[in-house]
Structure formats: structure tokens, C-alpha cells
């Protein structure tokens, strides 16, 4: 199959590119290299079945051409990371909403199959855990920029459903929960690569808030396994799926586990949210996926443990610090 991956030079996209090429598909990546990096694709760069187009998903003629050439489009390109979103809300809203519109409109021309990446952020401040795909969502007020991300991705989902029902576009939506692993950069605020880098360099490990907020961290290899299975699943079209681990950990516990696993002498430092992000920043206390639908549809659920994940991220961050990556 010929697959187009927007955002394929990013953290999840590059792992997905490798996996699909390994399965014998041909892959074209469209990426503007804003948060992704061509280096992420170093292992596949010279493969005949691989092509990289450096360009924007807002470039309508280019997107139409590439979607047309592909059998399947996976739209991962988006503004990511809470830090980036709080700092650049205009960019976040425009990138996330306009690019998805362009991709869906291109797919509608010949009813091409498309997978739209969404996020667990859309559950917002919901407190009924685990989060099920059909649950109500609960977002904060519009003057808090964090929620712009959730709202923009929720709008992407509405658009995908709308194109699916009104224009017969076979679309699937995936809500990624906290996904971590090699190649994820801490530059955009993601907690695990930051903690590991801090622990390895002897800096303070910075826990935001009281550290009691909890997350489930899933390995990127599990995330792309779930995604590729959904692509091939018979009854996935027109539906939304959670993908993520169900092993919960508080951010304080995560800091302790990273400190132990690295043998670090770093101190764990608590930083108020308003100092870490912006005045009035709102975090969510818990975020756990219900992955029943993924399992029932594909027979798969993420299974790599947090210990394995931490070990992989340590290896990756060590390679970066030693200049090997
Ligand atoms: N966080 C932290 N220290 C950091 C970066 C993040 O304590 O250096 C916290 C963040 O406030 C959140 C959790 O770790 O409660 C997960 O953050 P991340 O940005 O990785 O993902 P989120 O779950 O916010 O999408």
C-alpha cells in the first residue's frame, strides 16, 4: 500500500514510517520540519520505497497531489506539547484546524482512506476515569490557552466525522494518550525526556504543581502497533479509538523512578504551575484510557511497562548527551 504520513518526521511519525516500510508498504512523508527533524528518518532515508517532502500541510495543491497518489493518509502533523500551546496559541489553533481541513478535503475528492490523530487532551478536565471514547468532554474557559489545543483537536474530530458521514470519506480517529520513547524531545515540555535529561546531567528534576497529578505513559512502539492494526481493521471506519497504557503513575513517583533508574544524585524540586507555564494554568489530575474498544477491534492493547519505557528513554537521552544522536 502507498501511505502518506503528514508529520512523519516527528516523534511518533518517524517510528510509524519505519514500521510501515518494514511491513512492505511505501511511505511518503510530508513534514515542514518545524518540530520534527529529518534526522529522525536517518534509518530509512535511502530506502527506495521512502520519500520525504519538506512542505506544509497548509499547501493545498501539494496536499491534494500527495493524498491523490496515496492509498491511505495518516494525518499526524500538528502543533504539539503543552508548552508550545501555551506560548503560541494562534499557531496551535491555525495549524491544527486548517491543516486537518485541507487533508480531509483532499481525501474527499476520491474518498481516500484517512486516519486523523487526535489526543487525550480532548477529555479536558473530565474526572470520570478511565476515559471512554463516548464520554462527555469537559474543557476549561476560553481565556486559558491550554484548552485551545483540546478544542482545536476536538474540532478536527468533528470535521472527520462530518466528512465521513456527509462526503463518504472513510476516516478513523485516534486519541493518543501520553506517548513516550526514543526520539521524543523535551524541548516542548514533555515530562519524561526532561526528567531523564535532568537526572543524567545532575540538574534538579522539576516536578510541576504538587506532583500528585497522574498519567499513564505508553511506549511509542505500542502506539504505532495499535495504529497500524486500526488501519487494517475492518470495522474501524467512522469511529474514534483511545491508544495508551493503563499503568498509572503520579508525576512525583515518576521523578523518583527516573532518579533511581539513572542512579542520579539530582534533587527533586517542586515548581508552581504559574512559574512553569503561565498564570492561571490548569492541569488535569488523572488521565487513564479505556482501551477496550481498541482491544475488541484489533486484539491488541499496549503492554510495555513503565520500567521498559524509562530504560529506553534513558538510553536515548544518553546517546544525545554523548553526541551520538
Ligand atoms: N511536568 C512536570 N515537569 C516537567 C514537565 C511536565 O512536572 O518538566 C508535568 C506536567 O505539568 C503534567 C505532566 O508532567 O502534569 C505531564 O506533562 P506532559 O507535558 O508530558 O504531558 P501532558 O499530560 O501535560 O499532556
Amino acid at each position: 500500500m502507498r501511505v502518506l504520513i503528514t508529520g512523519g518526521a516527528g516523534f511518533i511519525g518517524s517510528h510509524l514510517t519505519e514500521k510501515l516500510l518494514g511491513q512492505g508498504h511505501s511511505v511518503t512523508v510530508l513534514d515542514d520540519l518545524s518540530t520534527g527533524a529529518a534526522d529522525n528518518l536517518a534509518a530509512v532515508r535511502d530506502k527506495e520505497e521512502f520519500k520525504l517532502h519538506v512542505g506544509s500541510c497548509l499547501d493545498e495543491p501539494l496536499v491534494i497531489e500527495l493524498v491523490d497518489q496515496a492509498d491511505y493518509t495518516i494525518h499526524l502533523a500538528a502543533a504539539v506539547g503543552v508548552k508550545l500551546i501555551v506560548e503560541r496559541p494562534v499557531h496551535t489553533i491555525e495549524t491544527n484546524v486548517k491543516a486537518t481541513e485541507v487533508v480531509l478535503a483532499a481525501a474527499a475528492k476520491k474518498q481516500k482512506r484517512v486516519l486523523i490523530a487526535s489526543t487525550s487532551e480532548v477529555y479536558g478536565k473530565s474526572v470520570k476515569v478511565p476515559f471512554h471514547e463516548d464520554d462527555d468532554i469537559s474543557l476549561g474557559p476560553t481565556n486559558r490557552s491550554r484548552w485551545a489545543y483540546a478544542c482545536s483537536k476536538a474540532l478536527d474530530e468533528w470535521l472527520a466525522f462530518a466528512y465521513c458521514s456527509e462526503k463518504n470519506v472513510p476516516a478513523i480517529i485516534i486519541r493518543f494518550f501520553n506517548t513516550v520513547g526514543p526520539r521524543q524531545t523535551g524541548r516542548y515540555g514533555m515530562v519524561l525526556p526532561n526528567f531523564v535529561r535532568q537526572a543524567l546531567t545532575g540538574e534538579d528534576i522539576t516536578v510541576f504543581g504538587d506532583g500528585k497529578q497522574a498519567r499513564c505513559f505508553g511506549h511509542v512502539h505500542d502506539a504505532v502497533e495499535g495504529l497500524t492494526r486500526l488501519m487494517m481493521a475492518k470495522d474501524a471506519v467512522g469511529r474514534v479509538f483511545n491508544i495508551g497504557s493503563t499503568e498509572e503513575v503520579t508525576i512525583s513517583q515518576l521523578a523518583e523512578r527516573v532518579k533511581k533508574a539513572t542512579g542520579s544524585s539530582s534533587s527533586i524540586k517542586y515548581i508552581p504551575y504559574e512559574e512553569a507555564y503561565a498564570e492561571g494554568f490548569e492541569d488535569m489530575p488523572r488521565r487513564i484510557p479505556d482501551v477496550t474498544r481498541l482491544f475488541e477491534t484489533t486484539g491488541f492493547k499496549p503492554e510495555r511497562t513503565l520500567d521498559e519505557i524509562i530504560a529506553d528513554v534513558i538510553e536515548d537521552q544518553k546517546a544525545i548527551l554523548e553526541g551520538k544522536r
Side-chain angles (χ1 to χ4, degrees):
M1 195 155 63
R2 292 164 305 167
V3 184
L4 169 67
I5 306 179
T6 70
F11 157 57
I12 297 179
S14 61
H15 286 281
L16 179 64
T17 300
E18 284 176 9
K19 187 170 187 90
L20 289 170
L21 286 166
Q23 290 176 342
H25 301 291
S26 72
V27 176
T28 299
V29 163
L30 173 63
D31 201 300
D32 65 2
L33 304 182
S34 55
T35 54
D39 276 354
N40 286 339
L41 296 164
V44 298
R45 192 165 19 219
D46 299 325
K47 288 200 190 297
E48 214 170 286
E49 293 302 312
F50 170 74
K51 265 198 211 96
L52 169 64
H53 278 268
V54 177
S56 167
C57 285
L58 300 176
D59 181 344
E60 227 174 312
L62 175 65
V63 172
I64 289 171
E65 186 189 326
L66 295 179
V67 168
D68 200 42
Q69 286 165 2
D71 302 306
Y72 204 114
T73 297
I74 300 172
H75 179 50
L76 299 179
V80 288
V82 174
K83 192 164 166 260
L84 182 69
I85 281 130
V86 171
E87 285 167 6
R88 298 185 61 198
V90 172
H91 169 78
T92 300
I93 297 168
E94 288 190 351
T95 308
N96 290 0
V97 178
K98 281 190 192 159
T100 305
E101 253 183 77
V102 170
V103 168
L104 284 165
K109 289 188 185 294
K110 293 184 187 162
Q111 279 79 42
K112 291 285 180 100
R113 287 183 287 174
V114 60
L115 189 152
I116 301 291
S118 184
T119 164
S120 57
E121 276 275 324
V122 299
Y123 292 103
K125 301 199 276 187
S126 306
V127 287
K128 182 190 151 283
V129 288
F131 295 157
H132 184 271
E133 290 89 343
D134 296 337
D135 287 343
D136 289 346
I137 58 178
S138 163
L139 303 185
T142 49
N143 62 0
R144 304 274 156 89
S145 53
R146 177 190 190 134
W147 305 115
Y149 181 51
C151 194
S152 65
K153 294 306 275 186
L155 186 55
D156 285 353
E157 295 194 14
W158 289 114
L159 263 176
F161 279 125
Y163 270 91
C164 199
S165 62
E166 204 179 316
K167 310 223 182 232
N168 294 320
V169 174
I172 299 175
I173 297 158
I174 289 183
R175 290 181 184 157
F176 287 112
F177 280 64
N178 293 69
T179 304
V180 291
R183 292 187 205 138
Q184 184 178 42
T185 162
R187 208 176 309 141
Y188 306 106
M190 278 73 166
V191 68
L192 190 55
N194 270 325
F195 279 5
V196 170
R197 185 188 44 78
Q198 289 165 336
L200 291 174
T201 55
E203 288 171 39
D204 290 342
I205 300 176
T206 53
V207 172
F208 301 160
D210 63 8
K212 291 190 180 129
Q213 71 273 33
R215 297 288 186 274
C216 301
F217 294 93
H219 198 294
V220 65
H221 290 160
D222 279 343
V224 300
E225 175 70 32
L227 185 154
T228 50
R229 287 191 187 217
L230 282 171
M231 273 173 77
M232 307 301 167
K234 272 200 201 84
D235 47 359
V237 165
R239 301 174 80 194
V240 52
F241 295 87
N242 290 334
I243 293 190
S245 157
T246 50
E247 185 184 348
E248 196 181 19
V249 65
T250 69
I251 299 303
S252 284
Q253 289 165 343
L254 183 72
E256 295 287 355
R257 283 173 73 165
V258 167
K259 187 171 147 80
K260 192 163 167 229
T262 49
S264 171
S265 56
S266 291
S267 306
I268 295 175
K269 188 176 173 197
Y270 288 82
I271 297 182
Y273 283 123
E274 52 275 21
E275 217 175 285
Y277 297 107
E279 195 60 43
F281 179 82
E282 295 181 302
D283 203 0
M284 50 276 285
R286 295 177 77 192
R287 188 193 268 168
I288 310 168
D290 182 331
V291 288
T292 313
R293 181 175 292 175
L294 172 70
F295 185 68
E296 282 174 358
T297 311
T298 65
F300 173 78
K301 56 176 186 263
E303 50 209 13
R304 284 179 176 78
T305 63
L306 186 57
D307 283 335
E308 289 174 75
I309 291 171
I310 292 174
D312 273 6
V313 175
I314 291 174
E315 201 181 308
D316 187 54
Q317 289 292 321
K318 274 189 179 162
I320 294 170
L321 291 169
E322 288 162 10
K324 291 184 190 146
R325 271 228 306 109

